[in-house]
Amino acid sequence: MKKLVLILAAALTSAAMAFAQDYNEVVDSYNKAAETLESGDLEAALACFQETYKLAQGVEEEGVDEILGVCKTQIPVLAYNLAIREYNGGDFKACAEKALAAAELAAQFENAEKEAEAITLAADAKYYFAKGLEDTDLEAAKAELKVLHEAGEARATGRLGYLLSKEATELQKEATALTDAAAKKEAFKKVYEVAKEAIGYEDSAAAEKTLATAARNIDKWDEAIAGYEKYLELKPDAKDLLSITNNLAMCYEKVNNKAKALELYKVVAAGDNEKLKASALKKIEKLTK
């Protein structure tokens, strides 16, 4: 029996030494983390606090709970600050990755406020990363923006509408310059498709006018009418009001709605554009015969 007691005593002594060693290791790791944080090395500080948190698990000594509490506070904050640093440096792709990692850590340590901040930061970074591609690779930028649009990012939706509307306008200029009738019609079909896609993301006066112009050039008269009317609705004080009204009258004439065409030509005739006025008066004379 004596031998058993001696063995038990030895085991207890060994366990006590192990607990003491574990506690000292936690304290040393914590002090290192604090010193590293003070030096400004955020990456190293984050790694140290994570290691300290890991070491402190299961150690039941006075002060360990406080150390665990500090670790739980510092880890998500440091991870978030690392993401912020990338954002401020303009590396939005790296920022998005680190912000999402920070959000996961914040969720793990039940810091709802920091989790929400990190998620918002990640969304901002993803948007500005996509937007930053516009000058070097427009197609890649649109692809990134479409991913964000699918995820419900309103800014990406609006940006896609703007970029596609701008693209449609440029294509319209190219199409207008063509002299071959067949090539011109094919070019305006592309303008029509891009303008329609733009409106699918975000409606705008510019996109509606481009769509209407393209539709008119490919004999889609009803869509041309709808586009011009929407343009005037969105931009009632447009500088090209008389010109668009004249185009709209022409479209109504094409679909044999003489009454509406006549009404619009009278508006043009009452305007101050002498060239359009002269043309409108001739149309009025023709339609009233």
Side-chain angles (χ1 to χ4, degrees):
M1 188 67 174
K2 184 176 181 181
K3 184 177 180 182
L4 180 60
V5 171
L6 288 174
I7 293 173
L8 180 59
L12 289 171
T13 301
S14 176
M17 289 176 65
F19 283 134
Q21 183 179 357
D22 287 346
Y23 175 74
N24 290 334
E25 196 175 355
V26 169
V27 172
D28 288 344
S29 180
Y30 175 77
N31 289 338
K32 181 182 177 183
E35 290 169 5
T36 308
L37 177 59
E38 191 173 350
S39 74
D41 189 340
L42 300 184
E43 289 96 338
L46 174 59
C48 286
F49 276 112
Q50 287 176 311
E51 178 64 18
T52 301
Y53 184 81
K54 182 179 178 181
L55 291 171
Q57 299 299 307
V59 178
E60 298 179 359
E61 291 284 338
E62 186 177 350
V64 172
D65 284 345
E66 185 177 349
I67 289 173
L68 283 169
V70 173
C71 290
K72 289 173 71 174
T73 298
Q74 287 295 332
I75 289 170
V77 169
L78 285 168
Y80 177 78
N81 288 344
L82 283 169
I84 283 287
R85 189 175 68 182
E86 299 292 358
Y87 184 92
N88 291 336
D91 192 341
F92 298 118
K93 186 174 184 179
C95 173
E97 292 171 356
K98 291 185 178 182
L100 290 174
E104 289 181 8
L105 287 170
Q108 178 185 338
F109 292 112
E110 300 178 338
N111 188 333
E113 181 179 353
K114 193 58 64 180
E115 181 185 4
E117 289 177 9
I119 290 171
T120 298
L121 179 61
D124 286 345
K126 287 179 180 180
Y127 173 70
Y128 287 115
F129 169 70
K131 193 170 180 291
L133 290 172
E134 291 174 16
D135 294 331
T136 56
D137 191 340
L138 184 58
E139 291 306 310
K142 288 192 293 185
E144 291 288 339
L145 287 168
K146 285 177 181 179
V147 171
L148 296 179
H149 161 74
E150 292 297 329
E153 172 57 73
R155 289 173 297 182
T157 303
R159 192 66 186 172
L160 276 168
Y162 167 77
L163 289 176
L164 288 164
S165 177
K166 185 178 177 182
E167 182 181 346
T169 300
E170 292 302 314
L171 289 171
Q172 179 187 324
K173 291 177 183 177
E174 294 174 12
T176 302
L178 294 173
T179 55
D180 181 79
K184 194 182 194 76
K185 194 158 190 173
E186 284 303 310
F188 269 112
K189 284 180 181 178
K190 179 63 177 176
V191 176
Y192 170 83
E193 290 168 3
V194 175
K196 201 169 186 68
E197 186 182 3
I199 292 168
Y201 286 108
E202 183 175 76
D203 201 2
S204 69
E208 289 287 355
K209 183 168 77 168
T210 305
L211 175 69
T213 301
R216 183 163 60 91
N217 278 276
I218 58 175
D219 304 325
K220 289 182 178 288
W221 304 110
D222 288 335
E223 289 192 61
I225 289 169
Y228 283 132
E229 288 184 340
K230 188 65 176 180
Y231 171 73
L232 293 175
E233 177 189 327
L234 294 171
K235 204 169 183 179
D237 56 349
K239 291 181 180 180
D240 57 355
L241 176 63
L242 285 176
S243 175
I244 296 301
T245 302
N246 189 66
N247 288 343
L248 189 53
M250 290 168 61
C251 291
Y252 271 114
E253 190 177 358
K254 283 288 184 179
V255 297
N256 293 316
N257 189 336
K258 292 183 179 181
K260 188 65 178 179
L262 185 60
E263 175 190 330
L264 293 169
Y265 280 130
K266 286 179 179 179
V267 172
V268 176
D272 57 3
N273 186 312
E274 293 303 320
K275 185 177 180 179
L276 289 177
K277 183 175 183 177
S279 174
L281 287 171
K282 289 180 180 179
K283 288 286 188 178
I284 292 169
E285 183 180 357
K286 175 186 173 182
L287 293 171
T288 52
K289 284 182 179 179

